[in-house]
Amino acid sequence: MTPFEVRAHLATGLAHAAPWATSLDGLLASEMWEDEKAAARDRGNYLEAAGPDEVPADLDLPLARCTLAGGDDWHWYATCAYPEDGTDAPEIHHWSGRPDHRALEQLARYRPSVISDRQGRYRARQMPLLLTSTRTVLWRGVGDIDRVSTTLASIDAIGKKRSQGEGHVLRWEVQPVDIDAWSAGHLHPNGHLGRLSPRICLQGRPTVETGGVGRGAIRPPHMHRSRMREVCMPWTPH
């Protein structure tokens, strides 16, 4: 397990939910889960996502684990994306959508003569999409560099609205970095906190700037409630 940096060269930038961008452990877990589902389908099986009352299994990510918090409060040594030359204000794109009336006709037993595009559940939508304009984003972590490189090589877009062309990755770079493992797994290059971390991870490090304390997912799958803990939030510039 080696401290490393991952750099994604982007076509324009990436869209992500505020305030911090895509985490490296989440990116790797998503790609590996898709590979597992595809392999299961080839065998005639289907893998289902864990329900709200189940505890999902942890994938064997090519990353080292930080176990300072003890028990099940461990997390992967990996940070969130750091825009290396991001602008002060996000670029605002928009996306629009409207229901497919023919599809509704096929799915529903009864369809009214008029479906309003102006109000109600099936109204047309036009939504803003915040884009961080940057040529490169950088992650840090500790792990198996060869496995990380192999997993990332098949990812051609990151962030939100990838199918609409956002977050297109031109190429990946993965290389070792000469820093200690704790810093590689927790800090952005500017020295601020770069991932959601239990408070105990920051004991004895009073100079590390954070985004405050809140409730968030400690490791993938980030949307599952079993992963929620009280943590120190990553530093964000805005």
Side-chain angles (χ1 to χ4, degrees):
M1 295 290 180
T2 306
F4 63 84
E5 287 183 345
V6 173
R7 184 173 283 102
H9 295 261
L10 305 176
T12 55
L14 77 158
H16 59 87
W20 54 83
T22 306
S23 66
L24 180 60
D25 54 349
L27 192 63
L28 294 170
S30 176
E31 186 67 12
M32 291 177 65
W33 178 241
E34 288 299 320
D35 290 344
E36 285 199 12
K37 289 193 293 183
R41 286 195 299 270
D42 290 343
R43 297 190 301 268
N45 301 323
Y46 293 90
L47 299 179
E48 296 183 359
D53 298 324
E54 301 177 67
V55 178
D58 290 294
L59 298 176
D60 181 25
L61 302 188
L63 299 170
R65 299 185 181 192
C66 175
T67 57
L68 291 175
D72 195 46
D73 291 343
W74 62 271
H75 61 81
W76 301 105
Y77 271 128
T79 67
C80 298
Y82 177 80
E84 291 194 282
D85 58 349
T87 57
D88 292 335
E91 183 178 340
I92 301 178
H93 292 187
H94 291 84
W95 65 269
S96 60
R98 63 179 60 240
D100 186 332
H101 290 199
R102 178 163 295 183
L104 291 177
E105 196 173 62
Q106 294 172 344
L107 293 172
R109 183 173 301 176
Y110 165 76
R111 187 176 75 86
S113 58
V114 176
I115 298 177
S116 175
D117 283 339
R118 295 175 176 268
Q119 60 185 358
R121 180 182 300 176
Y122 301 108
R123 67 186 180 275
R125 301 173 187 271
Q126 184 171 2
M127 301 292 292
L129 182 70
L130 301 182
L131 182 79
T132 298
S133 297
T134 179
R135 290 173 296 180
T136 58
V137 290
L138 180 140
W139 296 265
R140 283 177 166 177
V142 180
D144 185 329
I145 293 181
D146 291 336
R147 285 186 61 200
V148 170
S149 300
T150 300
T151 304
L152 293 176
S154 57
I155 300 175
D156 56 11
I158 59 176
K160 300 175 69 174
K161 295 296 178 183
R162 299 182 297 277
S163 62
Q164 281 73 47
E166 304 291 1
H168 179 59
V169 178
L170 300 176
R171 60 188 173 91
W172 293 96
E173 291 179 3
V174 184
Q175 57 189 8
V177 59
D178 187 20
I179 57 176
D180 65 279
W182 187 90
S183 297
H186 292 83
L187 302 182
H188 285 316
N190 61 5
H192 299 336
L193 186 64
R195 61 156 297 119
L196 286 85
S197 305
R199 291 186 180 186
I200 195 171
C201 287
L202 300 177
Q203 283 188 357
R205 303 175 188 270
T207 60
V208 174
E209 188 170 343
T210 74
V213 176
R215 191 163 177 81
I218 199 168
R219 62 180 186 271
H222 291 107
M223 297 300 291
H224 199 276
R225 66 186 185 186
S226 69
R227 299 298 195 245
M228 296 299 169
R229 306 285 192 278
E230 185 178 275
V231 292
C232 296
M233 301 291 184
W235 169 88
T236 54
H238 305 300

